[in-house]
Amino acid sequence: MRFGVALFPSKQLQDWVNSYRKRYDPHYSLIAPHLTLVNAFEATEEEAETIASQLREAVKNHEPFMLKTSKISSFHPVNNVIYLKVDPQEAITALHKDLNDLLESPGMQYKFVPHITVGQKLSDDEHWDVYGALKMQGIDHEEEIDRVHLLYQLENGQWTVYETFRLGKEAEL
Amino acid sequence: MRFGVALFPSKQLQDWVNSYRKRYDPHYSLIAPHLTLVNAFEATEEEAETIASQLREAVKNHEPFMLKTSKISSFHPVNNVIYLKVDPQEAITALHKDLNDLLESPGMQYKFVPHITVGQKLSDDEHWDVYGALKMQGIDHEEEIDRVHLLYQLENGQWTVYETFRLGKEAEL
């Protein structure tokens, strides 16, 4: 089965992103707005507990951090994906590297561009229409991220959370 | 915002339940198949961390337990809800009572009938058709449950996991 690691921003930011995903993201009903830290990888249900315990240890070396967004961007021409760009500060890139090293993740063919998808699988026309309308908006937002989630995918495509991991050494207290 | 506490059964059981929910449950895309332990209640995003830390402590007094299902049942005539009945053994009723006492949950107007919803909001005709077809099936299934989840609801109705809590004193090791 397929697993992945992601973080969910605040409800406020998720609601804002969903107001666009509802129309522009076919994955809208499969998972809440998120930032992917480890791309989907294959493992068995039996392996989940081992993976979870490795992640539980690894996140202790990463303190909660501020997630900052400033603008809407696009992966065109690689993909017609419109996203909320997240500042690639040290805390998030270090977390991404650690988790991917740990899980020997194959999802490293692209440079890590931390983002929250707003629209995807758009036709070229749709892409330019939506991107044109959205990129004028400044999205100056900042919030603390203190946890990440290991998820797995059901046969219908929906993602369910297996376990949450709170960042930082103090998290167990 | 609205919070709730639920457990998710194994992927195998979720996939089986979803094969029916897809057609018979309008909440199909809002949350994965689950067993509700604490009905939806109101709290602020700021209160979430306090609630989570209370739950973190409370679940230490409850060890992982076996969840057993044996048949399909219905809440008709109270509600046209068809569900997978979960044996109300001591472990799950004690967990339910503890969590509801802790959260002063208002969702106690019904006797606790542990269940996983398969279909709901059906017309009377649909209800009898589906129930008639399903109740003949024996669903003898048993699996270990070792965690529960605090969830919150987005404006679009979708539920996101705030935190998972692993049951039992040994869970932190």
Side-chain angles (χ1 to χ4, degrees):
Chain A
M1 59 202 265
R2 277 152 59 91
F3 289 85
V5 181
L7 64 83
F8 296 109
S10 64
K11 175 175 180 293
Q12 183 197 6
L13 194 57
Q14 290 188 62
D15 285 337
W16 183 85
V17 173
N18 263 344
S19 69
Y20 295 101
R21 291 180 77 218
K22 184 171 188 168
R23 282 169 289 171
Y24 305 124
D25 184 356
H27 293 178
Y28 170 68
S29 66
L30 302 181
I31 187 167
H34 62 280
L35 186 155
T36 301
L37 288 165
V38 178
N39 288 340
F41 63 94
E42 283 291 332
T44 65
E45 197 153 9
E46 292 69 37
E47 290 169 318
E49 192 45 46
T50 307
I51 293 168
S53 72
Q54 290 175 318
L55 290 171
R56 216 173 287 140
E57 282 307 306
V59 299
K60 289 182 186 166
N61 301 321
H62 295 270
E63 294 299 318
F65 61 89
M66 295 308 289
L67 178 148
K68 293 179 198 170
T69 66
S70 53
K71 65 167 188 167
I72 295 284
S73 194
S74 165
F75 287 129
H76 182 89
V78 177
N79 281 309
N80 281 356
V81 172
I82 295 170
Y83 60 91
L84 185 56
K85 189 172 164 62
V86 169
D87 285 2
Q89 75 274 41
E90 171 63 15
I92 197 165
T93 53
L95 178 61
H96 173 264
K97 182 174 186 315
D98 248 26
L99 300 185
N100 279 274
D101 285 352
L102 180 73
L103 298 171
E104 295 168 9
S105 169
M108 299 291 277
Q109 70 268 45
Y110 299 118
K111 179 174 177 299
F112 178 51
V113 179
H115 69 280
I116 298 166
T117 297
V118 170
Q120 60 185 323
K121 303 197 172 174
L122 302 166
S123 70
D124 279 352
D125 281 356
E126 275 179 321
H127 170 266
W128 290 118
D129 279 356
V130 177
Y131 184 43
L134 282 180
K135 73 176 179 188
M136 307 299 289
Q137 294 189 27
I139 316 288
D140 279 317
H141 177 84
E142 192 169 350
E143 64 181 51
E144 191 187 52
I145 297 298
D146 64 356
R147 62 196 63 213
V148 302
H149 307 259
L150 174 65
L151 301 101
Y152 58 95
Q153 193 170 30
L154 301 180
E155 290 308 310
N156 68 356
Q158 273 183 320
W159 290 85
T160 303
V161 168
Y162 182 81
E163 186 166 334
T164 50
F165 307 101
R166 291 182 303 135
L167 300 174
K169 286 199 174 42
E170 304 303 315
E172 297 300 334
L173 302 181
Chain B
M1 59 203 265
R2 276 152 60 91
F3 289 85
V5 181
L7 63 83
F8 296 110
S10 63
K11 174 175 180 293
Q12 182 198 7
L13 194 57
Q14 289 187 62
D15 286 337
W16 183 85
V17 173
N18 264 344
S19 69
Y20 295 100
R21 290 179 77 218
K22 185 171 187 167
R23 281 169 290 171
Y24 305 124
D25 184 357
H27 293 177
Y28 171 69
S29 66
L30 302 181
I31 187 168
H34 62 280
L35 187 156
T36 301
L37 288 165
V38 178
N39 288 339
F41 61 94
E42 283 290 332
T44 65
E45 197 153 11
E46 292 69 37
E47 289 168 317
E49 192 44 46
T50 307
I51 293 168
S53 72
Q54 290 176 319
L55 291 170
R56 217 174 286 142
E57 282 307 306
V59 297
K60 290 183 186 167
N61 301 321
H62 295 270
E63 293 300 318
F65 61 89
M66 295 307 290
L67 178 147
K68 292 178 197 169
T69 65
S70 53
K71 64 167 188 170
I72 295 284
S73 194
S74 165
F75 287 128
H76 182 89
V78 177
N79 281 308
N80 282 355
V81 172
I82 295 170
Y83 61 90
L84 185 56
K85 188 172 163 61
V86 169
D87 285 2
Q89 75 274 41
E90 171 64 16
I92 198 166
T93 52
L95 179 61
H96 172 264
K97 183 176 186 313
D98 248 26
L99 300 185
N100 279 275
D101 285 352
L102 180 73
L103 297 171
E104 295 168 9
S105 168
M108 299 290 277
Q109 70 269 44
Y110 298 118
K111 180 174 175 300
F112 177 50
V113 179
H115 69 279
I116 297 166
T117 297
V118 170
Q120 61 185 322
K121 302 197 175 175
L122 301 165
S123 70
D124 280 352
D125 281 355
E126 276 179 319
H127 170 266
W128 290 117
D129 280 355
V130 178
Y131 184 43
L134 282 179
K135 74 175 177 187
M136 308 298 290
Q137 295 189 27
I139 317 288
D140 279 318
H141 177 84
E142 193 169 349
E143 64 180 51
E144 192 187 53
I145 298 298
D146 65 356
R147 62 195 63 213
V148 301
H149 307 259
L150 174 65
L151 302 100
Y152 59 94
Q153 193 169 31
L154 302 179
E155 290 308 309
N156 68 356
Q158 273 183 319
W159 290 85
T160 304
V161 168
Y162 182 81
E163 186 165 332
T164 50
F165 307 102
R166 291 183 303 136
L167 301 173
K169 287 198 173 43
E170 305 304 315
E172 297 300 336
L173 303 182

